[in-house]
Amino acid sequence: MKAIIPVAGVGTRLRPHTFSHPKVLLNVAGKPIIGHIMDKLIDAGIDEAIVIVGYLGNMIEEWLVKHYNIKFTFVTQTEILGLAHAVWMCKPYVIDDEPLFIILGDTIFDVDLQPVLKSGHSTLGVKEVEDPRRFGVAVTDGNEILKLVEKPDTPISNLAIVGLYFLQQASSLFASLDYLIANKIKTKGEYQLTDALQFMIEGGEKFTTFPVNGWYDCGKPETLLSTNEILLKNNVSIKVYPGCIINDPVFIADSAIVENAIIGPYTTIGEQAVITNTIIRNSIIGNEARVGNIMLDNSIVGNNAFITGSSQEINIGDYSEIRVR
Ligand code: UTP
């Protein structure tokens, strides 16, 4: 089955890290966000991916082709006009009567997809949230979806649509997207996938929901760090580092050098990073970063960044250099 993966966005909420890397290539728990997603998709039997790229798209293409041996089609979205527009661009590459799976490239999930892909009708992944105002939400009768609303101003439902969509037949989705685009129907300034799905429901298409309890957002520094923590849960470091205390769970790349340090819990150390005389916990340290004589907590340090000094909580991008005296 084909999966559509939109990853064209700029990732503004994750700046400065996304100035030099697309969001989906940021490392969380030892591999890029999109690596976690691809592994789950391939396990579930997805054998072809249509990836919508835009901002720093070449880096994503290169990484995917290097690491996965499935058929990829890359579609370029030059203007970020919304998810519905991104998916609509894939029309030439899908077959009308085939089912489709759509997943946002920044949504790491823990769900058994096998039954979802065999459900026989369209179904959307949902999760109960306290504040649904920044999501598309589903109103159901307990079984079928009655209505979808994008970013509701009034609390109509707390079942948020979390970025996993199974469509039983591609043709009805694309008919709805065609209508949306032809009539320039936007909500909050963008072509919304939620609106296209709502037209399908109004046209009589059966939609149900499936629960996504393991849903790990990576869109902001604090959610990237909490996702890092959750995904590391069972990671144990087996290597011994001289003069170090390793408080599992951690991920330390094999090529990293770690000396006289206390690492963890919940810490990811990237390839060829050099960590000396340092205490780090709840943090993500990028590839080839150099960190010394400092205590870091809840921090994200970009690739090739250099930091030395005292106790800090920081969020610095690639190639930054900080000396705290
Ligand atoms: P987001 O809006 O959450 O991601 O879109 P973003 O735009 O990258 O991040 P911010 O808001 O600037 O911080 C969810 C997913 O949909 C893709 C994004 O790349 C992201 O993976 N998307 C969104 C597109 O591919 N095209 C669009 O027009 C909109």
Side-chain angles (χ1 to χ4, degrees):
M1 189 182 299
K2 287 191 182 86
I4 293 184
I5 313 175
V7 293
V10 174
T12 43
R13 289 166 299 160
L14 270 170
R15 285 177 178 162
H17 306 285
T18 46
F19 281 130
S20 46
H21 278 80
K23 171 165 63 179
V24 299
L25 290 189
L26 297 181
N27 188 333
V28 56
K31 63 181 150 186
I33 295 167
I34 199 160
H36 292 276
I37 297 168
M38 289 304 299
D39 291 346
K40 296 266 186 203
L41 291 180
I42 288 168
D43 277 356
I46 295 290
D47 54 7
E48 193 175 334
I50 306 173
V51 186
I52 302 133
V53 290
Y55 178 70
L56 300 178
N58 286 350
M59 292 171 82
I60 302 173
E61 284 191 43
E62 239 171 65
W63 192 86
L64 285 173
V65 169
K66 185 168 166 201
H67 290 88
Y68 295 96
N69 196 16
I70 62 166
K71 182 178 177 209
F72 285 107
T73 303
F74 294 99
V75 176
T76 304
Q77 186 191 27
T78 44
E79 235 186 312
I80 305 302
L81 296 176
L83 212 46
H85 178 263
V87 174
W88 174 73
M89 295 194 65
C90 302
K91 191 177 175 185
Y93 309 100
V94 297
I95 297 171
D96 277 355
D97 56 359
E98 277 187 357
L100 257 190
F101 188 66
I102 303 173
I103 175 155
L104 303 189
D106 56 354
T107 300
I108 300 181
F109 62 92
D110 190 8
V111 181
D112 182 4
L113 280 185
Q114 308 266 5
V116 172
L117 302 183
K118 288 185 192 136
S119 33
H121 56 263
S122 298
T123 183
L124 309 182
V126 293
K127 183 171 166 62
E128 274 189 33
V129 294
E130 272 176 26
D131 181 5
R133 280 173 301 182
R134 63 187 186 93
F135 298 97
V137 296
V139 180
T140 74
D141 63 3
N143 179 33
E144 282 192 38
I145 299 179
L146 302 172
K147 189 177 175 185
L148 299 172
V149 184
E150 183 62 34
K151 300 189 181 72
D153 293 324
T154 50
I156 183 169
S157 160
N158 63 351
L159 278 185
I161 305 165
V162 294
L164 293 91
Y165 313 79
F166 173 74
L167 284 313
Q168 183 54 32
Q169 207 173 29
S171 55
S172 52
L173 170 68
F174 283 94
S176 187
L177 290 170
D178 280 342
Y179 176 77
L180 199 81
I181 306 284
N183 292 287
K184 299 193 168 50
I185 299 169
K186 295 185 183 177
T187 301
K188 315 240 151 118
E190 290 195 351
Y191 291 112
Q192 304 285 356
L193 189 55
T194 311
D195 291 341
L197 301 173
Q198 171 60 21
F199 289 138
M200 292 169 72
I201 291 169
E202 285 167 18
E205 173 110 5
K206 175 180 172 180
F207 272 91
T208 61
T209 60
F210 62 94
V212 183
N213 295 321
W215 168 58
Y216 311 122
D217 182 35
C218 296
K220 298 182 283 183
E222 57 275 25
T223 59
L224 193 70
L225 285 172
S226 60
T227 296
N228 183 56
E229 175 177 336
I230 292 162
L231 297 181
L232 279 177
K233 279 251 147 76
N234 301 318
N235 254 56
V236 178
S237 161
I238 30 178
K239 210 165 150 183
V240 175
Y241 296 89
C244 291
I245 298 173
I246 306 295
N247 294 319
D248 288 314
V250 298
F251 171 87
I252 304 177
D254 276 346
S255 57
I257 296 171
V258 182
E259 288 170 357
N260 300 321
I262 303 176
I263 307 289
Y266 309 118
T267 298
T268 292
I269 310 273
E271 298 288 345
Q272 293 173 53
V274 179
I275 314 291
T276 46
N277 307 317
T278 287
I279 300 175
I280 309 178
R281 59 181 179 227
N282 305 317
S283 296
I284 301 174
I285 310 297
N287 298 339
E288 296 180 54
R290 289 176 297 142
V291 181
N293 309 305
I294 197 163
M295 197 179 122
L296 296 179
D297 195 3
N298 289 319
S299 298
I300 305 174
V301 174
N303 299 329
N304 302 85
F306 170 58
I307 175 153
T308 177
S310 59
S311 175
Q312 295 297 323
E313 190 170 303
I314 56 170
N315 180 15
I316 61 168
D318 299 354
Y319 294 96
S320 310
E321 182 165 331
I322 296 186
R323 296 166 195 268
V324 184
R325 305 214 189 266

